[in-house]
Structure formats: C-alpha cells, structure tokens
Amino acid sequence: AQTVTQSQPEMSVQEAETVTLSCTYDTSENNYYLFWYKQPPSRQMILVIRQEAYKQQNATENRFSVNFQKAAKSFSLKISDSQLGDTAMYFCAFMKGNNNAGNMLTFGGGTRLMVKP
Amino acid sequence: ETGVTQTPRHLVMGMTNKKSLKCEQHLGHNAMYWYKQSAKKPLELMFVYNFKEQTENNSVPSRFSPECPNSSHLFLHLHTLQPEDSALYLCASSQVARGNYGYTFGSGTRLTVV
C-alpha cells in the first residue's frame, strides 16, 4: 500500500514571496504519478500540477513548480510570487501507473496555506 | 463549471432518514469515484466505478450504497447514518488508461447527520 505524508499542517507566506510545501511518499512501485491539488474555501479540488515518475525533469505550471526527488521519495511544491488567491488547502497525491481497475489516488493529510497581504 | 456536478451542496439528515447524493460528469470519463473528507483526516476513498462496474469498495459500511447506472452518473444512497458520518463527500471522475491525468472533482456535498 502507498502512503503520502505532508509534514506541515499549516504554513503562511507574505504576498509576492515564495513558499515550499513538503510531501514524501512511500511505495514499492516504479511506475506512478504524483499530483498537487488545491482546495480553496469553495471546496472544489483543483489540479495544480502533475509529475510522471519516469520523467526526471521537474514539472512546472506558471508560478508553480515541483522538486521531484525519486530516490528520496520526495515531491515538494514551490509557489513563486504568492498571491492572495493561493490561500487554500494543498494536497499531495499518489497514483499507481498501469492500473486499469481505476486510477485510485492516495492523498496526504494536506497543508493549509495562508497568503498574507 | 468544472464538468463534475454534485447535488445537493448541503444536506442535513436524521439518523433514520434515507437520502441520496448525486454526481454527474459531462467530460466523457469512464471512471467515477466517491471520497469522504472528514476534518483532520486524509481523504478516504470509498468506491470506484470503472466502465460502470464497481472495482473498489474500501471497506465501507453497508449504510452507504453506491449506484452507477451509466458512465455519466453516480449516486451514493444513505440510510441509518451515524453522526460520525458527517463529512464532505466528494465525487470525482477520470479517464482511465489515458496517461493518468488525475481526477476532476465536484464541489462536494456537505453532509450533517443529526
């Protein structure tokens, strides 16, 4: 079974600064995918960024980037130029590859991020 | 509008009531999921439907009964719930075997059992 751990229950950052959210995971799989989801107060989970384990290059999406360290099983999210709209819960998630029974996501416990003006 | 719609948005029910949660996706996905999100706990996978067939039941009590009549609709039938079942119930969909691009979620149903 896979586990995902987010060791920072809460974080805060000043607007326009950079913040990094941590995530570690445990798996015996070699083919898998990692995700960061954002859940604002509206409750809807929104995909922020996705990483394929077989790709060494770190994924980036505008102000969001990851530091994927496969050997260390670490997958941190960096948010640059933080904006007030980035205030939300952030969830790290793991998905096995080649699972034709359904792509089951395993989530970490979440990190509550507050962006301060 | 994200393509996954959940109704109702809020639900208050007594322990003897029977109610249903509805989820509808307009994305052409072939898999649908129910997750439970409780305070201070990680999201818990409840059920998975792949091409309308249930492929995962994560040891969920029988007072929760899923139904997937077609690949666009998913229901969660509730009966004789307990107060600890109060939570946010999230529905999601995905396209299996297409690069695993993750889920699209609905906005959830906030359930309160009194």
Side-chain angles (χ1 to χ4, degrees):
Chain A
Q2 284 67 231
T3 59
V4 179
T5 303
Q6 294 178 248
S7 59
Q8 305 149 314
E10 294 186 358
M11 294 190 71
S12 63
V13 62
Q14 290 296 132
E15 194 176 7
E17 293 188 349
T18 296
V19 64
T20 299
L21 309 183
S22 301
C23 173
T24 58
Y25 59 95
D26 188 24
T27 184
S28 58
E29 302 286 331
N30 194 47
N31 179 22
Y32 54 88
Y33 301 82
L34 296 164
F35 304 84
W36 278 98
Y37 278 88
K38 168 185 176 181
Q39 187 179 37
S42 66
R43 306 182 329 204
Q44 184 172 19
M45 299 275 277
I46 302 165
L47 178 63
V48 175
I49 201 163
R50 166 184 175 270
Q51 176 78 42
E52 299 168 353
Y54 58 85
K55 287 190 176 178
Q56 297 208 352
Q57 185 174 7
N58 289 324
T60 62
E61 287 289 341
N62 301 314
R63 297 182 295 108
F64 299 88
S65 62
V66 298
N67 183 3
F68 173 47
Q69 301 290 327
K70 190 172 184 179
K73 296 180 181 176
S74 171
F75 183 61
S76 60
L77 175 70
K78 185 171 82 170
I79 306 175
S80 304
D81 186 25
S82 297
Q83 300 176 359
L84 297 178
D86 295 333
T87 293
M89 282 288 289
Y90 286 81
F91 293 93
C92 179
F94 173 100
M95 179 188 289
K96 286 196 299 186
N98 300 325
N99 185 351
N100 291 321
N103 301 354
M104 285 164 280
L105 273 174
T106 301
F107 287 88
T111 296
R112 184 175 303 279
L113 176 67
M114 172 74 72
V115 179
K116 298 180 178 180
Chain B
E1 178 61 54
T2 66
V4 178
T5 304
Q6 286 187 247
T7 55
R9 189 163 173 81
H10 301 274
L11 178 62
V12 179
M13 59 185 289
M15 290 190 284
T16 58
N17 291 159
K18 289 185 180 182
K19 297 287 184 182
S20 296
L21 309 185
K22 180 182 176 181
C23 177
E24 186 173 0
Q25 59 98 0
H26 311 281
L27 301 166
H29 288 168
N30 53 23
M32 297 186 77
Y33 312 82
W34 280 117
Y35 275 82
K36 177 183 179 182
Q37 187 176 21
S38 306
K40 300 182 180 179
K41 290 177 71 175
L43 279 83
E44 302 171 64
L45 177 65
M46 300 177 72
F47 300 105
V48 179
Y49 277 83
N50 187 17
F51 291 102
K52 302 184 298 178
E53 300 296 323
Q54 188 181 123
T55 56
E56 187 79 13
N57 177 338
N58 204 20
S59 302
V60 179
S62 60
R63 58 186 184 270
F64 294 91
S65 174
E67 179 190 2
C68 188
N70 55 61
S71 58
S72 298
H73 294 86
L74 184 64
F75 296 89
L76 188 62
H77 304 300
L78 316 170
H79 63 97
T80 60
L81 294 191
Q82 304 298 311
E84 60 264 29
D85 296 322
S86 298
L88 180 67
Y89 288 84
L90 291 167
C91 174
S93 69
S94 75
Q95 185 69 11
V96 174
R98 201 183 76 175
N100 292 317
Y101 285 93
Y103 296 172
T104 301
F105 281 88
S107 296
T109 294
R110 173 73 65 191
L111 174 66
T112 303
V113 181
V114 297

